[in-house]
Amino acid sequence: MKPVGRLLAVIVIVLGMQACTPSLTPPTPDVLTPDTGQIITLTPETPESVETQEQTDIPSPHPIPANENIQPENLEYLGAFRLPDGNAESGWEYSGQGLTYFAGGDSNGAEDGFTGSLFGIGNDQKLQVSEISIPAPIISRHLDDLNTATTLQGFTDITGEMFNLEMMDLPIADLAYLPSIDGSGTGKLHFVFGQHFQEFNPSNGWHDLHLSSTEAAGPWIVDSYTNYVTSDYLFDIPENWAEAIAPGQRLATGRFREGVWGGGGPALFAYNPGSEAAPPVAGTKLTEVTPLLLYGVQEPGMTEIISDETMWMNDYQLADHWSGGAWLSAGDKGAVIFVGTKALGQSWYGFANGVTWAYDCADHTPPTCPEVPEWPYENRGYWAEDYQAQIIFFNPADLAAVARGDIQTWEPQPYATLVLDDYLFNPEINPGEYKRDLVGAVAFDREHGRLYVIERLADGYKSVIHVWAVNP
């Protein structure tokens, strides 16, 4: 295990967040209008013209087929539940990197109406995986009122010796359960593992659903794309969409890297992980890959994405953190979402207390770099005046237009935003607790229309899982 000192380098902190005391009643959603980028709150008094305008497809120089989108108001908050204690290998403290839903887990779940289970990644430094039950969520501002999940499979290192997890610098990871694509197996627990600084390293693979098994495949490289845009979030793509647009490419992988190296927004790629019966060998470069979002250009062999303000996502900030994603569906409606900690106000490179650090300060004679602040502000990185937990919504029709080559990878824009702060137990950045991210990974139960979102460091050092129903 890495020492706690390593953890200080993982978590960045921002001052100035104000405490928030949400009510027991789920709040009215804030919505980002696509034409102005202005956040509004939908209420019964909101003019009908605003609601109509908010649901309008994003203007594009190329025609995009009409598509009914899931709106923020389609998400009904159901409550939250707590996580169990861990084992000698790991725990849920400082967790939030990965989460996925498995319909075949927890056969007793029918008693409370929440069938299936969740596979999740525990402590950020150990990156071990556990399977837990899904208890009925409770709407309450008191943690003691919440139900607690039970452990179905204890924490295990599912990568074997594919990665040296304890030596990874600022590691990132996610999980996605995918049924067998070609009928050759029972489905696998797919994973992606990466770290802060990478180039073109193998990152994706799968493990058997039995965590004690040694059956695994990978890791593989996602075509010729840098890890700065491929090695973080991971989720399944609806079968009908994949078959129509990118046959066989049932998984979506991507990454948002803060700063300027990964482009000006979250990246996303569809890919085919191959047959379970004869998976690609370790180190294989997967070539059945389709870009869906990339706010810049991947030049061959270059680690950094080439990008400028003309290619950025609307309201992009250097200090944004988009840490999870899911492809939602409800009836004939759909949306691709990203969940994260959105930077507000001014962003800068430097320290959490507002001290800036010029990239070239060490090149001057004498150097012009400022003194490094004392703890807890000594970690250098991208910071902002304030932060907010958000879900941003993308139109799947726009991603289809990218896949077909009708529009550029940087043209799709979010059509709506749901602000999550009022749902959270502790929506504050906290220097003393080493808390930089408000939310983490995401899982979606497509059969029952339930969205699971991790709130980091909400139950002491543990995470809490929030649940929404995604209604048609």
Side-chain angles (χ1 to χ4, degrees):
M1 176 180 178
K2 297 182 183 178
V4 173
R6 293 294 300 276
L7 185 57
L8 297 178
V10 181
I11 310 297
V12 291
I13 319 101
V14 171
L15 293 179
M17 291 291 291
Q18 297 298 316
C20 176
T21 307
S23 64
L24 294 180
T25 303
T28 303
D30 290 339
V31 178
L32 182 69
T33 57
D35 56 334
T36 66
Q38 181 181 14
I39 293 180
I40 63 171
T41 300
L42 292 181
T43 68
E45 291 75 30
T46 303
E48 184 176 348
S49 59
V50 174
E51 291 191 41
T52 302
Q53 187 178 47
E54 192 276 329
Q55 296 181 25
T56 303
D57 284 340
I58 305 165
S60 171
H62 305 277
I64 299 175
N67 183 68
E68 273 206 274
N69 297 320
I70 292 171
Q71 302 293 337
E73 55 265 35
N74 292 119
L75 273 61
E76 174 191 358
Y77 186 64
L78 300 181
F81 61 86
R82 303 173 80 177
L83 294 171
D85 292 333
N87 57 20
E89 300 301 320
S90 187
W92 294 104
E93 292 79 11
Y94 289 101
S95 63
Q97 290 278 7
L99 195 70
T100 191
Y101 175 80
F102 174 50
D106 188 19
S107 58
N108 296 322
E111 297 178 4
D112 61 15
F114 285 80
T115 58
S117 63
L118 294 169
F119 285 90
I121 295 176
N123 183 279
D124 289 342
Q125 297 302 296
K126 293 189 173 183
L127 296 178
Q128 300 208 359
V129 176
S130 176
E131 183 187 11
I132 58 172
S133 67
I134 304 174
I138 301 292
I139 297 178
S140 175
R141 299 314 310 156
H142 303 288
L143 288 165
D144 289 341
D145 293 340
L146 305 186
N147 292 320
T148 301
T150 58
T151 299
L152 302 178
Q153 295 189 73
F155 282 105
T156 307
D157 176 6
I158 64 171
T159 71
E161 297 183 357
M162 293 182 187
F163 310 97
N164 188 341
L165 298 180
E166 293 192 356
M167 293 304 295
M168 281 186 159
D169 182 34
L170 308 184
I172 49 179
D174 203 359
L175 303 169
Y177 168 71
L178 185 68
S180 176
I181 295 177
D182 57 6
S184 61
T186 58
K188 300 297 180 185
L189 183 62
H190 289 258
F191 60 73
V192 57
F193 286 89
Q195 57 184 320
H196 190 61
F197 288 107
Q198 279 188 291
E199 295 185 356
F200 297 91
N201 304 123
S203 56
N204 294 55
W206 58 250
H207 188 276
D208 190 77
L209 293 169
H210 296 92
L211 299 184
S212 60
S213 171
T214 59
E215 184 183 5
W220 314 305
I221 301 171
V222 181
D223 205 352
S224 298
Y225 292 98
T226 171
N227 292 107
Y228 284 174
V229 295
T230 63
S231 61
D232 191 353
Y233 36 80
L234 185 68
F235 50 89
D236 71 296
I237 298 174
E239 185 176 5
N240 58 347
W241 193 96
E243 288 308 305
I245 304 299
Q249 298 177 28
R250 288 290 315 284
L251 284 175
T253 190
R255 177 177 176 180
F256 175 85
R257 192 189 191 285
E258 76 279 13
V260 296
W261 294 282
L268 193 67
F269 302 84
Y271 76 97
N272 184 347
S275 168
E276 289 183 18
V281 300
T284 294
K285 178 189 290 187
L286 303 178
T287 56
E288 289 188 54
V289 176
T290 301
L292 302 178
L293 282 176
L294 182 60
Y295 289 93
V297 176
Q298 172 74 72
E299 294 290 352
M302 289 192 64
T303 304
E304 297 85 9
I305 297 298
I306 305 301
S307 183
D308 60 39
E309 293 184 8
T310 66
M311 301 178 181
W312 290 356
M313 184 177 73
N314 292 342
D315 200 29
Y316 162 75
Q317 291 261 35
L318 295 172
D320 290 345
H321 277 199
W322 300 108
S323 51
W327 199 304
L328 306 184
S329 57
D332 58 357
K333 295 181 179 180
V336 174
I337 64 167
F338 295 97
V339 178
T341 305
K342 180 75 180 73
L344 303 177
Q346 183 181 359
S347 291
W348 65 89
Y349 182 72
F351 303 94
N353 62 355
V355 173
T356 61
W357 182 285
Y359 294 130
D360 62 349
C361 67
D363 298 332
H364 292 265
T365 305
T368 59
C369 303
E371 290 188 13
V372 176
E374 295 182 359
W375 179 89
Y377 309 118
E378 79 278 17
N379 295 312
R380 194 167 77 240
Y382 291 96
W383 309 85
E385 293 177 304
D386 206 350
Y387 287 89
Q388 191 177 69
Q390 293 185 358
I391 299 176
I392 54 176
F393 295 70
F394 284 80
N395 187 346
D398 289 355
L399 306 194
V402 171
R404 293 193 303 264
D406 295 339
I407 63 175
Q408 299 289 348
T409 60
W410 55 83
E411 289 190 60
Q413 295 292 337
Y415 63 82
T417 293
L418 176 63
V419 177
L420 301 181
D421 285 13
D422 286 348
Y423 299 101
L424 304 185
F425 288 95
N426 187 19
E428 299 181 59
I429 302 302
N430 190 329
E433 302 296 344
Y434 318 115
K435 182 177 179 180
R436 162 59 175 83
D437 290 305
L438 301 175
V439 288
V442 177
F444 181 54
D445 171 3
R446 196 173 305 282
E447 179 182 355
H448 301 100
R450 290 170 182 153
L451 176 66
Y452 300 88
V453 177
I454 292 178
E455 178 186 355
R456 296 179 63 103
L457 279 84
D459 184 4
Y461 297 115
K462 285 184 181 180
S463 298
V464 165
I465 296 183
H466 294 267
V467 188
W468 281 263
V470 182
N471 300 313

